[in-house]
Amino acid sequence: MRYSGLIEKYRDRLPVTDSTPIISLAEGNTPLIELVNLPKILGHEVKIFAKFEGLNPTGSFKDRGMTMAVTKAVEAGSKAIICASTGNTSAAAAAYAARANIGCFVLIPEGKIALGKLAQAMMHGSTVIQIQGNFDDGMRLVQELANDMPVALVNSVNPYRLQGQKTIAFEVIEALGDAPDYHVLPVGNAGNISAHWMGYSESVRKETEACGLCNGQCPYHPKEPRASKRPIMVGNQAAGSAPFLRGEMVKSPETIATAIRIGHPMSWNLAWAAVRESGGWFNECTDDEILAAQMLLAKHEGVFCEPSSATGFAGLIKDLTAGRIKAGSTIVCTLTGHGLKDPDTAIAQSSQPHLVAADRGAIGELISRFL
Ligand code: AN7
C-alpha cells in the first residue's frame, strides 16, 4: 500500500476522526540507519542506530508535528498560522500552510537562521518577519499575537505538535521490535524529547493488556507493535544554550547550532519528567564537540545532519567515553535535521576544493597523491 503520511498510518493513536481534512506531505517513515563504522572507530561495544529525520519532506522532524498542527488548524477553520522559529519550524509551517492553502507568518531571529531554512520559508510563500531579538523573544510575541488575532499558533506549545511528533517512537519500536535501551537527542525548546517520551509511554504493554490466550485476535489485544520497556532518555544541549544543565533559563543563549539557540524552553516540565522518569540525564556539548560529531557522521557513515542534530551524537560520544552507557546496549540517536539546511557551517569547517587546471596530467597527479 502507498505510504501516505503518519496521520493515515497511526490514525487510531492520533486525535483525528474520519471527517478530519488531513494535510500531509507523506512525512514520517524515516530510515533507522545502523552506524557500521563509528562504534568500531570510537572503540565501543554498542549498537547505534541513527533515526534520520533529515529525510522528512522539509528536511527535519518538525514535519511530524506540523502535519497534525496544520490539520487541526484547518479542521477548526483557521485561515492562517503563526510561529516563532530558529528555522526548521518556519520551514515546515510554511510548507504545510502552502499545502493547506492558508496564510503563514513566521518570526525568526535576525541573522541567526541557517540559509536553507530561510530559503524554504521564503519559497513556500510565508510572510517572513525577522525580529531584532532571539527565539525566546519571538516565542513570547507569537503567543501574544495568537491570543487576539485570527492566527493559529503552531509552535510546540500547541499540543497537536507533540501528538504528531510522538510517532517517531512508534516507528523505532516497529523497526527494532522493541524500544532501545537508550534514546539520545538534541534539546532546544524541549518539545521533541517530550514527544518521544509520550510515544514510548503509550507503547508500553500494560499488565492488564497482557493476554497470552488470543494470539493477538481478541478485541482487547493491542494491534499495533508494543514495547516491553521504555528507553533511558538522554537530552543534549549546546553549552552556550543549556538551561536544563544550569537548572534555570538562559538569558542570551549562543551556539553555532542555531536551531537549538534557545534559552527559555517551553516544554520545561515535560522534558524534566521524561528524563527523570526514564532514569536519564542531560548533557551539554561545546560548539567544537558538536562540529566534530557532525563531521564524524558525515565522513564515516555517509550521514549528513545539521549541527544541532549532531549535538545528540556529540553527547553520546561523551557518555560512551565516560562509561555512562553499558556495553552491549542498543542506542537510538535522533538526527533531527538534514545537513543541507546549513551549508555555510558545513563549508566553513571542511577542507576547500582543490583548484587545478582543466588538464589530465594535473588532475591525475592530484589524484595519485590521495591513492
Ligand atoms: C534540527 O525550528 O525550535 O527541543 O523553531 O530544528 O523540540 O525544540 C527547532 C528545534 C533539534 C530542538 N534539532 O527540538 C525551531 C526549533 C533541530 C531543530 C531541535 C530543533 P526541540
Side-chain angles (χ1 to χ4, degrees), residues 61-62 84-89 135 186-192 259-260 262 306 308-309 336-337:
F61 72 96
K62 302 286 181 182
S85 181
T86 56
N88 280 325
T89 300
F135 171 83
V187 172
N189 210 21
N192 209 26
I260 52 173
I262 296 173
E306 63 173 287
S308 300
S309 311
T336 46

Side-chain angles (χ1 to χ4, degrees), residues 52 117 197 321:
F52 193 20
K117 305 172 189 180
W197 189 239
T321 309

Side-chain angles (χ1 to χ4, degrees), residues 338-349:
H338 204 290
L340 291 171
K341 293 270 192 176
D342 191 354
D344 297 311
T345 306
I347 288 171
Q349 64 164 324

